[in-house]
Amino acid sequence: MPSKKQLFYSLLCFCALVLFGFYIALHGVRPNRSLSVKGVEPTSSITASKPTGPLTYVRKFLNVVSDIAQVTDTRPDKCASCFKNDFNFIINQDACASYDLVELLVLIVTAPKDGAGRQAIRETWGTLCTKERHIACVFVLGAVDDSQVMTKVKSESSKHSDIVQLDFRESYGNLTYKTMSGFRWSRDYCSKARFIMKVDGDMYLNLELLPVLLLAVPSGKFLGGDCWGEQTPHRSKSSKWYVSFQSYPHKNFPPICSGTAYVISSDFLHGLMDVSRNLPYFHLEDVFIGMAAKSLGIRPVSLKGFSNLRAPFKPCSYRNEVMTSHYIDPVVLRRFWKISRQCPLKNHSPRQLFVPKYIWCFHPCNILIYSLKENSWTVSSLCWIQIQTCLKYVLNSICIDLPYM
């Protein structure tokens, strides 16, 4: 039985989170998918402005009601072979052909014009993509109308032999096609890979620790990274992640991992390619992968060291603790890499690195998460109706240590 002191602090934290939940509901915050101010450029002065009074919230509410009223034909949850993953290859480098064994294949999604970013990766953590380490790295690109950019990509590919380019249009809205095309390439041209990782082009990736961590991953279908549970879609049209009721009529998304960086097992890859054929296209790639995981009965595992934000830079931490860090431009990446190399690499065991970050509490309402790493309470998914439901559980809350999948 918990002590009176523990009950008091639990109730206090709950009340604080309820207040914070009201703030989230009013301001449309998506806690685990936030971008830094530097990473966002508003498309107009309207999207850049902040709410100025109660009428703003009333207008938002009326807009949501209007959207619901106008919905006549919503996206189905499943379909019969409706997802077409059949784009043609413009460039297809068989980067795994010379490997006898591939423990980890890293699919790095970048834009065709970002040659500087690709070169920075090749000169930093990409230097660890070698046959001796059993790590292969491939850049996945879409197509653009600029013939000069396309010519440069072709020349770059001839020089480095690490680019796969397909004929869909390069855009944020096509990121699901881009990612799934990369997974199709890995299935067809690098089937020997034991694990496959999708990572954005502005990431720091620790390829010294990650292969050690993967040794502790349970066999079978696995999806892991910086992950979280169910959360409400963004219904504000000014949001980069806007989701209409027509495209997704449900209250919550399934559990997902941040699309910035996540790793899957080969078993999950084969299951993903199978079930995705019957999933209607959805523009948010990480949510689409979460939908597929739900169809497979797989819960994403949130791992220590993975972050969809920029981790505070401490040289020895980047060498021995941080798995991923976001918003790292080429100049910063080279600097972080050079400085972190001055710290000695510690001898880690797989179990020391494979540490799921969260134990879920108040699980029936999906309202609170207890962070083992930070020893603090944080908000997961919270909406108005859940508050009423969760009040029923506040006096007899249970923390559940979720088993590994």
Side-chain angles (χ1 to χ4, degrees), residues 11 74-75 120 125 165 188 202 216 228 241 243 258 270 296:
L11 185 58
T74 60
R75 171 187 176 275
W125 55 264
Q165 187 177 35
D188 295 342
D202 59 347
W228 51 86
W241 305 291
V243 175
S258 168
H270 293 297
L296 292 169

Side-chain angles (χ1 to χ4, degrees), residues 9 12 46 83 107 112 124 169 171-172 174 185 190 218-219 236 253 295 305 331 338 358-359 368 374 376:
Y9 281 117
L12 184 64
I46 295 177
F83 184 79
L107 301 174
T124 55
R169 181 177 294 276
S171 70
Y172 183 76
N174 281 338
W185 181 90
C190 197
S219 60
S236 172
F253 285 140
S295 297
V331 175
K338 181 178 180 180
Y358 298 125
I359 287 180
L368 298 178
E374 300 176 1
S376 61

Side-chain angles (χ1 to χ4, degrees), residues 173-192:
N174 281 338
L175 186 55
T176 299
Y177 284 134
K178 191 175 190 177
T179 301
M180 291 302 298
S181 295
F183 286 143
R184 173 167 65 95
W185 181 90
S186 66
R187 180 198 64 186
D188 295 342
Y189 297 96
C190 197
S191 59
K192 63 188 77 174

Side-chain angles (χ1 to χ4, degrees), residues 59-266:
R59 281 194 291 269
K60 282 187 176 181
F61 173 75
L62 292 177
N63 286 337
V64 170
V65 172
S66 176
D67 287 345
I68 296 175
Q70 294 175 12
V71 171
T72 57
D73 184 21
T74 60
R75 171 187 176 275
D77 293 332
K78 293 185 179 181
C79 56
S81 301
C82 62
F83 184 79
K84 304 300 182 182
N85 189 0
D86 56 359
F87 291 97
N88 298 312
F89 291 101
I90 300 173
I91 298 174
N92 186 4
Q93 295 286 357
D94 195 356
C96 293
S98 61
Y99 284 71
D100 296 324
L101 175 66
V102 179
E103 288 291 338
L104 175 63
L105 168 64
V106 183
L107 301 174
I108 311 158
V109 296
T110 67
K113 65 180 181 180
D114 191 21
R118 290 189 289 274
Q119 189 57 31
I121 290 175
R122 293 187 187 104
E123 295 173 4
T124 55
W125 55 264
T127 59
L128 302 178
C129 302
T130 65
K131 289 187 290 185
E132 292 73 25
R133 291 179 175 270
H134 308 299
I135 302 173
C137 293
V138 173
F139 295 98
V140 182
L141 288 64
V144 294
D145 294 329
D146 192 326
S147 59
Q148 290 185 344
V149 171
M150 296 291 282
T151 300
K152 287 181 180 179
V153 169
K154 186 176 181 180
S155 176
E156 181 185 344
S157 174
S158 299
K159 181 178 180 179
H160 298 286
S161 302
D162 59 1
I163 289 178
V164 171
Q165 187 177 35
L166 296 103
D167 63 357
F168 57 81
R169 181 177 294 276
E170 179 72 35
S171 70
Y172 183 76
N174 281 338
L175 186 55
T176 299
Y177 284 134
K178 191 175 190 177
T179 301
M180 291 302 298
S181 295
F183 286 143
R184 173 167 65 95
W185 181 90
S186 66
R187 180 198 64 186
D188 295 342
Y189 297 96
C190 197
S191 59
K192 63 188 77 174
R194 182 166 172 255
F195 289 96
I196 304 93
M197 185 169 194
K198 181 265 177 178
V199 60
D200 286 348
D202 59 347
M203 298 290 289
Y204 167 88
L205 179 60
N206 195 325
L207 288 181
E208 291 178 311
L209 299 186
L210 190 57
V212 181
L213 178 153
L214 295 177
L215 294 174
V217 172
S219 60
K221 297 181 179 69
F222 175 82
L223 166 64
D226 184 10
C227 314
W228 51 86
E230 294 181 357
Q231 61 176 318
T232 55
H234 275 240
R235 301 301 189 185
S236 172
K237 293 182 179 179
S238 64
S239 172
K240 179 181 180 180
W241 305 291
Y242 167 67
V243 175
S244 68
F245 286 94
Q246 185 174 17
S247 64
Y248 192 80
H250 305 295
K251 182 176 67 174
N252 291 324
F253 285 140
I256 63 174
C257 293
S258 168
T260 56
Y262 55 88
V263 61
I264 65 175
S265 64
S266 57

Side-chain angles (χ1 to χ4, degrees), residues 27-42:
H27 292 272
V29 176
R30 192 179 181 188
N32 289 70
R33 194 188 170 86
S34 59
L35 287 173
S36 68
V37 175
K38 182 178 179 182
V40 176
E41 293 183 3

